[in-house]
């Protein structure tokens, strides 16, 4: 075993600051802007509303605490908000205002450098090297020893070894507590925190994720109750908790306490701000309505102007005609008279025709305008109250001044509340970013606990250690994947891509950690007992990765399974997902089998989508799997790589190894390229994410050939031998396809029991829409309508699946376009959001159905891609883009758009629509429910083909 570096603390901290500066420069080159769509409301935390968005693949939201959201395109407004959590492709943002059930679209920007420069500044303060930060990097020797700083006490029901562990930790400046998942780390950290608080000292608990922090604090409250310590009164959870539905977390939440204080101090000002945003947000969410209303008013005025002009011209022509008709006999005898009379009569007839058409147009638009004004989302009394609110805000110096006044009113109480707390828990992002970072810099803690430390880079560990006065406990599992960095220099590999356990042990070999722990057992404490929820998998991991060092214990009723799918029979071959700038292999055949496993995990395992995760070694397959899930309408399944997924526990994990049918090995799976340690940590990370069942998909003929002597293949072979066989994914997939939409919806929930039915209630319905009543009427109509006759096809179900694919591909194109450096191709509005939610359950059996459906598709595909004003190549008139223009033509025809009738002519529109139906059903007009359904399906097929064409174009 090699010894750790022995340079002085001054050299260490200088190096740490320098490598972070290099990382800042790299972060300045990556995207710092993204268009987010369809953000779903989760719940409220005090005054914050949490929304969950899906993020394009290329966005690396690492270590962010705050972002700026820009709402609206006509009159944009910026709103700072906090990052609550980042979960693979999902980000949860906390807004200081309530937007409603859904945020259709928002621009999100951020600044990596700001937060990282704060770390650099704090590292520069540490250059002289003192205190706990020095012991963190050099734990060996007598300097790390101290007389016991607290008396140890454990509950009667605690395992016997916990008391010994606590006694060891009590006598160290820095202690390393490590072991696999479910080895008791959370329980021990909670015990340490409670014992230190009992001694009258202060404790700071930090971790990369909210779930980890919440777990320790909740356990500390439970332990405190057993030991006679009122931890609820002494504990503060600072930042956004992931589990405020827990009574305990709600009681200790600093956010809840601070919000109550602010409302007590500044109730009127807060209500003033809330009233302002209620209307301001309504205006932004309904920008498309107000734009359309303004356009309608403009068109009405123009139509009246045309009518007045042609009326004046008609009157002039009639006067001229009357004059000609009353001319003298001598005038009528002139050679030019007959021609002039004929021309004037023709002019009068033409002007009469135009006047009639323009009069009809004015009448249609004038009738439409008041109807549209009645549908205004903001009523007259609301606008009047809004003007009064604006006046009051202006009197106080403007909105920013009012908000600042509210914040300042709570600062004194906030500082006082934190000062009286003995145990503070928060995430690393929150602890190291303003405003909490500033408060912590002025305060030191007797004990600092860092959990999941294996994913925290060394500069960040040093800054966290600087907040500890007497002790620090570093907890985690070094057998998980290492921290990542954009910089890949030798300095970055040493300080940013190496965890604190490997650094302290002075080794690159995971298996040497066991000997390191035995030789330094006083301060390096390995927890060898694992209480498994998946005993078969845990025993496998123990034997092949942990050298048999674990003592796996499991209740008798635990039933976790290992499913192994050998995909050799698929004879698949990986292809490049997009472009040639980066190797992005994906395996379409195996990805389809992966989605079948997702369906199996839901139906056979009785799980919802939020309890299932898909892990692949490379981002190319994550891109494709996400696309397949979108095309099936499956939401809330997390998909990521081991690096992004680590720490996310799911009831079912599907591990798609991806590679097949190529003549090269990929770096993440080849130990000859990355070393055996990386392979071991990758697999342990994947396996640690499963709480119940693990699915593994691998082309064993490919791995047995190209990776014949590689560690990855050896471990796969051993795992296959231990597995419970192949799951019946085909049968589960067939069952899934036969489910009706209302049977599917409960399966897509984020959490079990968190079912959001019906689908149409997910989006903010237009003000005139009673979504529940409309759904009831629709379901009654379905029961009354016979299934389309004359065909064995289930046209309703076929329509449902086809619409899901089209809507899913539209969403996927927005993600893919941004991934490849472009912008979102299709914008989103509240009306578009509502249309996308409704279309899958809209079945077409007559002209009325078709008219409503065409309006929705026209909004989604034509209007939201810029309409006639779009300058994007994909939307210009070309053979492949004709269907986009067909949509607008049908919308004009079926909604009797007055302008379109004048410009195009009703007959021309009718001919165009007849041609469209001729291409889909072989006749110019449907005449039965079955033909309307088939005509709609034919048009959906064209839409799908068009979106596939765009997909191919942007991937070139």
């Amino acid at each position: 075993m090699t010894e750790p570096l022995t340079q002085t603390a001054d050299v260490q901290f200088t190096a740490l600051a320098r490598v972070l500066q290099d990382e800042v420069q790299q972060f300045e080159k990556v995207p710092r802007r993204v268009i987010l769509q369809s953000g779903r409301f989760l719940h409220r935390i005090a005054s914050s509303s949490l929304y969950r968005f899906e993020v394009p693949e290329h966005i690396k939201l690492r270590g962010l605490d705050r972002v700026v959201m820009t709402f609206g395109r006509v009159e944009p407004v910026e709103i700072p908000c906090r990052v609550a959590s980042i979960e693979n492709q999902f980000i949860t943002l906390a807004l200081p205002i309530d937007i409603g059930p859904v945020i259709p679209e928002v621009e999100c920007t951020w600044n990596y450098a700001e937060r990282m420069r704060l770390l650099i500044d704090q590292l520069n303060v540490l250059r002289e090297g003192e205190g706990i930060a020095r012991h963190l990097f050099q734990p060996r020797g007598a300097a790390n020893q101290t007389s016991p700083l607290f008396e140890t006490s454990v509950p009667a029901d605690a395992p016997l070894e916990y008391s010994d562990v606590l006694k060891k930790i009590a006598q160290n400046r820095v202690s390393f507590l490590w072991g696999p998942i479910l080895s008791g780390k959370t329980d021990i950290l909670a015990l340490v925190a409670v014992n230190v608080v009992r001694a009258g000292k202060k404790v700071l608990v930090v971790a990369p994720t909210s779930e980890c922090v919440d777990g320790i604090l909740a356990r500390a409250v439970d332990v405190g109750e057993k030991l006679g310590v009122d931890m609820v009164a002494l504990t503060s959870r600072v930042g956004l908790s992931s589990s405020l539905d827990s009574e305990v977390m709600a009681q200790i939440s600093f956010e809840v306490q601070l919000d109550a204080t602010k409302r007590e101090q500044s109730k009127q000002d807060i209500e003033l701000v809330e009233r302002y945003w209620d209307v301001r947000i309504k205006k932004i969410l309904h920008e498309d309505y107000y734009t359309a209303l303004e356009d309608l008013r403009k068109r009405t005025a123009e139509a009246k102007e045309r009518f007045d002009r042609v009326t004046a011209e008609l009157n002039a022509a009639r006067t001229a005609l009357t004059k000609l008709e009353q001319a003298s006999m001598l005038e009528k005898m002139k050679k030019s008279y007959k021609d002039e009379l004929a021309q004037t009569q023709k002019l009068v007839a033409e002007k009469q025709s135009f006047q009639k058409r323009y009069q009809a147009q004015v009448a249609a638009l004038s009738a439409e305008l008041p109807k549209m004004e009645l549908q205004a989302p903001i009523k007259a009394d609301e606008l009047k109250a809004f003007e009064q609110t604006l006046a009051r805000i202006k009197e106080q110096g403007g909105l920013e001044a009012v908000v600042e006044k509210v914040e300042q009113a709570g600062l004194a109480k906030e500082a006082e509340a934190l000062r009286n707390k003995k145990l503070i828990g928060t995430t690393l992002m929150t602890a190291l970013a303003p405003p909490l970072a500033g408060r912590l810099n002025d305060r030191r803690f007797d004990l600092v606990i860092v959990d999941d430390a294996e994913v925290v880079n060394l500069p960040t560990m040093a800054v966290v250690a600087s907040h500890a006065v007497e002790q620090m406990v570093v907890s985690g599992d070094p057998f998980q994947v290492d921290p990542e960095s954009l910089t890949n220099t030798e300095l970055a590999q040493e300080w940013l891509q190496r965890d604190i356990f490997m650094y302290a042990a002075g080794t690159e070999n995971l298996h040497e950690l066991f000997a390191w722990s035995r030789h330094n057992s006083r301060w390096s404490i390995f927890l060898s007992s694992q209480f498994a929820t998946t005993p078969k998998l845990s025993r496998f991991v123990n034997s092949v990765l942990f050298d048999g060092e674990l003592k796996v214990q499991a209740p008798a009723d635990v039933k976790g399974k290992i499913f192994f799918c050998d995909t050799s029979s698929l004879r698949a071959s990986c292809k490049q997902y997009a472009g040639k700038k980066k190797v992005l292999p994906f395996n379409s055949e195996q990805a389809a089998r992966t989605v079948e496993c997702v369906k199996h995990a839901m139906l056979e395992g009785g799980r919802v989508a939020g309890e299932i995760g898909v892990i692949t070694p490379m981002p190319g397959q994550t891109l494709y799997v996400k696309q397949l899930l979108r095309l099936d309408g499956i939401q809330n399944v997390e998909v990521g790589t081991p690096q992004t997924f680590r720490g996310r526990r799911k009831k079912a994990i599907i591990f798609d190894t991806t590679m097949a049918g190529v003549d090269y090995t990929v770096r993440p799976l080849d130990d000859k390229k990355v070393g055996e340690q990386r392979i071991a940590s990758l697999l342990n990370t994947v396996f640690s994410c499963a709480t119940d069942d693990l699915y593994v998909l691998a082309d064993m003929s490919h791995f047995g050939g190209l990776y014949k002597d590689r560690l990855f293949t050896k471990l796969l072979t051993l795992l296959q031998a231990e597995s419970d066989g192949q799951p019946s994914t085909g049968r589960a997939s067939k069952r899934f396809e036969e489910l009706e939409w209302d049977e599917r919806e409960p399966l897509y929930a984020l959490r079990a029991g968190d079912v959001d039915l019906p689908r149409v209630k997910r989006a903010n319905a237009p003000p005139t829409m009673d979504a529940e009543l409309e759904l009831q009427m629709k379901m009654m109509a379905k029961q009354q309508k016979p299934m389309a006759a004359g065909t064995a096809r289930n046209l309703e179900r076929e329509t449902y699946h086809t619409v899901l694919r089209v809507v899913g591909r539209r969403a996927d194109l927005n993600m893919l376009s941004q991934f490849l450096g472009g912008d979102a191709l299709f914008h989103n509005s509240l009306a578009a959001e509502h249309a996308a939610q409704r279309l899958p359950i809209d079945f077409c059996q007559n002209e009325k159905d078709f008219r409503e459906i065409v309006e929705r598709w026209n909004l989604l595909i034509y209007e939201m891609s810029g309409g006639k004003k779009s300058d994007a190549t994909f939307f210009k008139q070309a053979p492949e883009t004709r269907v986009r223009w067909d949509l607008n033509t049908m919308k004009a025809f079926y909604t009797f758009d007055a302008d379109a009738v004048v410009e195009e002519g009703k007959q021309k529109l009718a001919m165009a629509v007849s041609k469209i139906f001729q291409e889909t059903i072989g006749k110019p007009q449907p005449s039965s429910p079955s033909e309307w359904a088939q005509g709609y399906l034919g048009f959906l097929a064209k839409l799908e083909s068009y979106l596939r064409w765009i997909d191919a174009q942007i991937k070139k």
Side-chain angles (χ1 to χ4, degrees):
M1 184 187 302
T2 57
E3 290 295 317
L5 300 179
T6 57
Q7 62 262 46
T8 65
D10 179 60
V11 174
Q12 285 182 350
F13 295 140
T14 302
L16 296 181
R18 188 167 67 250
V19 75
L20 272 190
Q21 188 61 55
D22 293 340
E23 188 78 348
V24 168
Q25 295 175 7
Q26 292 300 315
F27 268 107
E28 291 294 329
K29 300 175 184 177
V30 300
R32 286 169 285 165
R33 171 191 175 273
V34 68
I35 299 296
L36 300 177
Q37 296 182 337
S38 302
R40 303 292 170 194
F41 174 79
L42 296 180
H43 54 265
R44 284 186 66 81
I45 295 179
S47 59
S48 296
S49 297
L50 271 61
Y51 290 84
R52 193 173 193 245
F53 297 86
E54 186 168 0
V55 182
E57 191 81 23
H58 70 300
I59 300 299
K60 307 298 182 186
L61 298 169
R62 298 176 187 165
L64 282 179
D65 176 69
R66 294 176 185 270
V67 299
V68 174
M69 300 179 79
T70 302
F71 292 87
R73 286 180 285 159
V74 179
E75 296 180 3
V77 58
E78 291 186 351
I79 300 176
C81 60
R82 289 179 291 172
V83 177
S85 65
I86 300 170
E87 302 156 353
N88 291 294
Q89 77 268 39
F90 299 106
I91 183 171
T92 300
L93 299 174
L95 278 71
I97 56 178
D98 186 356
I99 307 296
V102 64
I103 298 178
E105 181 172 293
V106 67
E107 180 186 65
C108 187
T109 56
W110 56 89
N111 188 341
Y112 291 113
E114 181 179 299
R115 175 187 174 274
M116 295 180 70
R117 289 193 178 109
L118 284 172
L119 291 178
I120 292 170
D121 291 344
Q122 292 179 68
L123 284 169
N124 287 332
V125 175
L126 298 176
R127 280 187 179 176
E128 296 303 319
E130 58 184 21
I132 298 301
R134 176 188 294 274
H135 300 300
L136 173 68
F137 290 96
Q138 298 179 1
R140 283 189 174 90
N144 192 32
Q145 281 185 275
T146 183
S147 56
L149 296 175
F150 58 87
E151 295 182 4
T152 60
S153 179
V154 299
D157 59 351
L160 294 176
E161 60 266 29
Y162 282 10
S163 181
D164 293 335
V165 171
L166 259 64
K167 289 176 181 177
K168 288 182 178 180
I169 291 174
Q171 61 184 347
N172 301 317
R173 297 289 184 188
V174 175
S175 301
F176 290 81
L177 182 72
W178 64 281
I181 195 160
L182 300 177
S183 57
K185 296 190 294 292
T186 299
D187 287 345
I188 291 172
L189 295 178
L191 277 168
V192 172
V194 172
N195 277 275
V196 173
V197 168
R198 284 181 76 212
K201 300 177 182 292
K202 296 180 179 179
V203 182
L204 173 66
V205 173
V206 293
T209 65
S210 290
E211 291 84 355
C212 191
V213 175
D214 294 346
I216 295 172
L217 296 187
R219 188 72 184 111
V221 170
D222 181 51
V223 169
E225 185 176 343
K226 294 178 180 179
L227 296 179
V229 183
D230 184 4
M231 294 301 294
V232 171
L234 299 172
T235 303
S236 183
R237 169 63 168 96
V238 178
L240 301 165
S241 170
S242 64
S243 52
L244 269 184
D245 52 348
S246 157
E247 182 180 347
V248 169
M249 296 310 299
Q251 288 177 327
I252 65 175
S253 169
F254 184 63
E255 298 291 319
V256 173
Q257 298 165 7
L258 181 60
D259 183 62
T261 299
K262 285 182 178 179
R263 289 190 177 276
E264 182 182 338
Q265 298 281 323
S266 312
K267 181 180 179 180
Q268 292 184 345
D269 287 334
I270 291 174
E271 290 176 351
L272 188 65
V273 172
E274 288 175 344
R275 286 198 300 271
Y276 167 84
W277 281 117
D278 281 344
V279 177
R280 188 75 176 87
I281 288 300
K282 269 190 180 180
K283 282 187 174 182
I284 292 171
L285 289 176
H286 295 91
E287 272 185 349
D288 54 338
Y289 166 83
Y290 286 106
T291 300
L293 179 62
E294 188 61 33
D295 180 60
L296 181 58
R297 286 169 175 163
K298 183 179 178 182
R299 287 162 56 202
T300 303
E302 290 173 349
K304 287 179 179 178
E305 184 182 340
R306 285 196 298 268
F307 174 75
D308 292 342
R309 185 171 61 250
V310 78
T311 298
E313 292 169 351
L314 175 60
N315 290 336
R318 280 173 172 168
T319 300
L321 180 61
T322 301
K323 186 177 180 181
L324 285 171
E325 290 174 340
Q326 296 175 353
S328 64
M329 185 60 69
L330 183 61
E331 291 291 327
K332 291 179 180 179
M333 294 294 291
K334 289 182 179 179
K335 186 177 180 180
S336 61
Y337 176 78
K338 288 185 178 180
D339 289 341
E340 188 176 353
L341 178 64
Q343 289 176 0
T344 305
Q345 288 173 333
K346 182 180 179 182
L347 180 62
V348 168
E350 287 178 349
K351 296 301 180 182
Q352 283 178 330
S353 175
F354 277 117
Q355 186 194 45
K356 185 177 180 181
R357 292 174 66 183
Y358 289 158
Q359 188 176 27
Q361 187 182 43
V362 169
L365 290 171
S366 297
E368 186 180 351
L369 183 58
K371 290 179 183 178
M372 190 169 183
E373 288 175 335
L374 285 174
Q375 297 174 2
I378 305 175
K379 304 305 178 186
D381 56 340
E382 287 183 280
L383 286 174
K384 184 178 180 180
F386 182 63
E387 293 301 323
Q388 295 173 349
T389 299
L390 282 177
R392 290 186 58 191
I393 289 175
K394 188 175 180 180
E395 290 172 1
Q396 297 191 44
L399 184 66
E400 290 185 7
V402 177
V403 172
E404 180 65 20
K405 180 182 174 184
V406 171
E407 293 300 319
Q408 290 297 326
L411 280 179
K413 293 287 184 180
E414 178 181 350
E416 181 183 342
L418 282 178
R419 194 179 302 116
N420 294 331
K421 300 297 181 180
K422 298 294 185 182
L423 173 59
I424 292 178
T426 189
T427 62
L428 278 168
M429 289 190 298
T430 302
L432 301 178
L436 187 59
R439 294 196 292 267
L440 292 184
N441 284 339
D442 298 329
R443 178 178 181 178
R444 293 294 179 265
F445 295 86
D446 300 289
L447 168 68
V448 169
I449 294 173
V450 184
D451 199 12
D452 274 359
E454 73 279 359
V455 78
V456 184
N457 63 45
L458 298 182
T460 302
M461 288 296 300
V463 172
V464 173
S466 69
H467 295 295
V469 175
E470 296 184 343
Q471 287 186 298
M472 183 174 186
V473 178
V474 179
S475 173
D477 179 5
F479 277 70
Q480 301 273 331
V481 291
D482 295 325
E484 291 186 291
S485 70
L486 294 181
T487 317
N488 201 34
T489 61
E490 288 187 12
L491 201 61
Q493 292 173 17
E494 176 68 24
W495 297 110
L496 298 181
Q497 299 176 16
R498 194 179 185 195
D499 71 54
I500 188 64
F501 298 96
M502 301 297 280
Y503 179 85
T507 181
E508 298 295 333
N509 188 337
L510 284 172
H511 300 283
E512 291 185 0
L513 290 177
F514 301 113
W516 167 68
S517 187
R518 283 192 288 270
H519 294 154
N520 302 281
S521 59
R522 178 178 53 80
W523 51 266
S524 175
I525 304 162
F526 171 58
L527 301 178
S528 59
S529 295
Q530 185 181 35
F531 302 90
T533 59
T534 54
K536 181 181 286 190
L537 181 59
S538 295
R539 292 186 184 105
F540 172 80
V541 170
N542 179 35
S543 64
V544 301
L545 298 180
F546 279 83
D547 299 346
E549 295 279 349
L550 300 178
K551 302 167 187 172
V552 178
Q553 305 173 40
D557 58 347
V558 173
K559 300 177 181 178
K561 292 183 178 180
I562 302 172
F563 296 111
F564 198 102
C565 303
D566 182 354
T567 59
S568 302
S569 61
L570 296 178
R571 300 185 181 279
S573 181
C574 287
K575 301 178 182 64
Q576 174 75 355
Y577 189 76
K580 297 180 180 179
K581 294 182 179 179
K582 185 178 180 181
V583 178
L584 289 171
F586 79 101
N587 183 333
S588 58
E589 293 89 348
Q590 192 158 300
R593 186 66 59 84
T594 293
V595 174
E596 288 184 357
C597 288
V598 170
K599 296 172 183 176
H600 183 275
M602 284 194 282
L603 293 180
E604 301 297 329
R607 306 179 183 96
V608 297
E611 297 173 327
I612 300 169
V614 176
I615 304 179
T616 75
M618 291 152 294
Q621 190 76 340
T622 67
L623 279 161
Y624 191 71
V625 169
K626 289 173 191 174
Q627 183 189 73
L628 292 186
L629 291 170
R630 290 187 191 107
L631 297 186
D632 251 331
I634 300 174
Q635 308 165 42
N636 291 322
V637 173
E638 288 184 36
V639 183
T641 61
Q643 289 74 19
T644 64
F645 218 108
R646 64 149 311 280
R648 303 287 303 146
R649 297 274 282 164
K650 298 288 181 179
K651 287 188 175 181
I653 287 292
I654 295 126
F655 181 41
D656 178 354
T657 59
T658 303
M659 298 311 299
V662 292
D663 59 0
Y664 58 87
T665 66
V666 291
R667 186 175 181 83
L669 306 181
D670 189 345
D671 54 277
K672 291 190 176 180
K673 295 179 178 179
V674 298
E676 291 188 356
Q677 315 309 313
R678 293 291 179 90
I679 302 300
S681 61
L682 180 147
L683 288 175
N684 183 54
T685 299
V686 172
F687 300 157
S688 296
C689 293
T691 65
D692 291 344
D693 295 344
L694 172 71
Y695 297 72
V696 178
L697 294 91
D699 186 329
M700 293 305 288
S701 63
H702 175 74
F703 284 106
L706 207 60
Y707 296 78
K708 185 176 182 179
D709 57 345
R710 304 298 202 272
L711 176 63
F712 193 78
T713 303
K714 294 175 183 176
L715 295 178
L716 283 181
T717 302
L718 292 171
L719 187 62
Q720 185 179 21
E722 291 291 326
S723 73
D724 295 283
Q726 298 208 44
S728 53
T729 57
R731 183 178 65 187
S733 184
K734 186 174 183 300
R735 278 182 56 206
F736 188 86
E737 296 303 308
E738 292 172 351
L739 294 175
E740 297 297 334
W741 73 268
D742 51 345
E743 294 175 311
R744 283 186 173 206
E745 285 296 306
L747 298 175
Y748 299 157
L750 181 59
R751 294 175 291 267
D754 185 20
V755 181
D756 188 14
L757 281 174
R759 172 184 284 269
V760 294
K761 291 176 69 176
R762 282 225 187 100
N764 305 11
T768 58
M769 177 81 69
D770 185 338
E772 191 167 357
L773 175 60
E774 183 178 352
L775 181 68
Q776 291 172 355
M777 293 175 64
K778 187 170 187 65
M779 296 302 290
M780 288 172 63
K782 280 186 177 182
Q783 294 169 5
Q784 294 168 1
K785 292 178 185 177
M787 184 61 67
T791 175
R793 295 161 62 184
N794 186 330
L795 295 177
E796 189 170 1
R797 186 177 296 159
E798 194 173 335
T799 298
Y800 172 70
H801 291 309
T802 308
V803 171
L804 284 182
R805 291 198 303 272
V806 177
V807 172
R809 198 170 287 279
R810 176 183 179 271
D812 192 70
L813 284 173
N814 280 340
M815 294 290 179
L816 180 61
S817 176
Q818 294 191 78
F819 170 69
L820 295 175
D823 210 337
L825 296 180
F826 300 94
H827 286 287
N828 222 26
S829 67
L830 199 56
E833 186 74 33
H834 177 76
Q837 295 296 324
R838 277 302 305 265
L839 279 166
I841 59 171
D842 280 334
F843 186 47
C844 180
Q845 289 193 306
N846 52 51
E847 184 176 312
K848 179 179 179 296
D849 291 343
F850 193 74
R851 179 174 69 246
E852 295 173 353
I853 286 168
V854 161
E855 283 196 57
R856 292 188 179 111
W857 280 121
N858 181 71
L859 175 63
L860 281 177
I861 302 297
Y862 183 81
E863 299 294 345
M864 290 295 103
S865 61
K868 294 177 182 178
K869 298 178 182 179
S870 175
D871 57 357
T873 305
F874 310 119
F875 306 134
K876 290 182 178 178
Q877 189 70 289
E880 294 84 359
T881 66
R882 183 188 142 195
V883 67
R884 179 175 179 270
W885 301 93
D886 286 347
L887 263 175
N888 192 243
T889 298
M890 289 191 296
K891 184 259 183 185
F893 178 78
Y894 282 105
T895 57
F896 301 100
D897 188 307
D899 280 346
V901 170
V902 172
E903 296 168 12
E904 302 284 339
K906 185 70 176 177
Q907 187 176 3
K908 188 176 179 181
L909 280 172
M911 290 175 61
V913 172
S914 295
K915 183 180 178 182
I916 294 168
F917 280 119
Q918 190 72 43
E919 293 173 349
T920 55
I921 62 172
K923 57 190 297 188
Q925 176 75 16
S927 59
S928 68
S930 175
E931 288 181 354
W932 278 106
Q934 291 183 61
Y936 177 38
L937 275 169
F939 194 76
L940 283 174
K942 287 188 173 187
L943 274 179
E944 188 175 7
S945 177
Y946 165 56
L947 297 180
R948 280 201 304 265
W949 174 78
I950 296 179
D951 182 270
Q953 297 304 304
I954 63 179
K955 283 180 180 176
K956 288 181 179 178

